[in-house]
Amino acid sequence: LKVAEMHLAGLMFKTMLYCGLRTGAVVALSWKDVDFKNHMIIVVAAMESGKDELKAPKTAAGIRKVPIPDEIYDALLEHKGEPSEPGFTQPTTGKRHTESSRNKAWRNIIREMDLFMGAELYRNQVKNSVIAKDLCPYCLRHTYCTDLQLTAKPIESAISPVLSTGPCGFH
C-alpha cells in the first residue's frame, strides 16, 4: 500500500483491492460510473481481453454496485475527472488503459514493491525477488473476498445488482 501511494497506477490497483474489481472492469470505469454521493462504483462494462474494447458484462448480474470504502474515497474524489472521461488512464497519453499498458503498470508496481521490500538491482534488473512469483492482479480480487469473509460479511452484501437507470444517469 505504501508503494501504491507513490505509484502512478497505485490508485487503480488500490481500487481493485478495496472494491474487488477485475482489471478489465477497473480500466473500463468512467467517472460517470462513480457515485460519490452514495459512495458506490457502478460496474457497467469491462475491457474485453485481447481486444481493448469495452463490452457489457456477460450476464445482468455483472452490472452491479460496489461500495467505495473510506480507504480510497478521498483519493478517488481528488482524482475525479469529467463524467465522460476514463477513471484511470495511461500516464503518458491520458487515454484509457489498454491490455498492454495495464500489464506494464502491473509489472512496474511489482518491481517497485520488490525494491521497497529489499530486493536488489543488478544492471537495472531485480535480483533475489521477494515478491511471490504467482502474485497477479486477480489476487487483489481474492484478497477483497477474503477480507469480506474475515469481517463476517457475506460477499453478496458488498455488491448489489443495478436493476434500472438511477437518478445519476447510471445504467
Side-chain angles (χ1 to χ4, degrees), residues 62-77:
I63 299 174
R64 63 201 183 279
K65 293 180 183 180
V66 180
I68 302 170
D70 294 341
E71 290 86 352
I72 61 169
Y73 180 84
D74 290 338
L76 285 171
L77 190 57

Side-chain angles (χ1 to χ4, degrees), residues 7-170:
H7 196 274
L8 290 172
L11 182 57
M12 179 174 75
F13 292 119
K14 285 173 61 176
T15 301
M16 291 170 59
L17 174 66
Y18 284 112
C19 297
L21 300 180
R22 295 178 182 94
T23 56
V26 79
V27 299
L29 286 177
S30 295
W31 289 112
K32 70 180 180 298
D33 304 324
V34 183
D35 178 356
F36 286 100
K37 180 181 175 192
N38 295 304
H39 292 238
M40 291 286 184
I41 290 176
I42 294 80
V43 179
V44 296
M47 182 75 69
E48 190 166 2
S49 181
K51 294 189 179 182
D52 293 329
E53 297 174 5
L54 297 183
K55 63 174 184 151
K58 294 176 185 174
T59 67
I63 299 174
R64 63 201 183 279
K65 293 180 183 180
V66 180
I68 302 170
D70 294 341
E71 290 86 352
I72 61 169
Y73 180 84
D74 290 338
L76 285 171
L77 190 57
E78 186 177 312
H79 190 72
K80 181 182 176 186
E82 294 297 317
S84 62
E85 293 177 346
F88 301 102
T89 59
Q90 300 175 48
T92 55
T93 66
K95 295 181 180 178
R96 188 180 305 277
H97 275 281
T98 62
E99 187 170 10
S100 175
S101 71
R102 71 182 186 223
N103 290 339
K104 183 178 179 180
W106 179 254
R107 288 189 307 271
N108 185 264
I109 201 167
I110 290 295
R111 173 188 165 88
E112 295 303 315
M113 288 180 355
D114 232 343
L115 296 174
F116 181 81
M117 294 172 62
E120 297 177 9
L121 281 181
Y122 177 74
R123 295 188 178 187
N124 207 26
Q125 298 295 315
V126 173
K127 297 296 175 188
N128 304 321
S129 175
V130 296
I131 300 289
K133 298 224 182 289
D134 61 347
L135 182 62
C136 65
Y138 202 77
C139 293
L140 303 176
R141 184 173 171 83
H142 283 270
T143 300
Y144 170 76
C145 293
T146 301
D147 288 348
L148 286 176
Q149 184 177 17
L150 291 174
T151 61
K153 292 182 185 174
I155 292 173
E156 294 80 15
S157 73
I159 61 171
S160 59
V162 177
L163 301 176
S164 62
T165 302
C168 299
F170 296 112

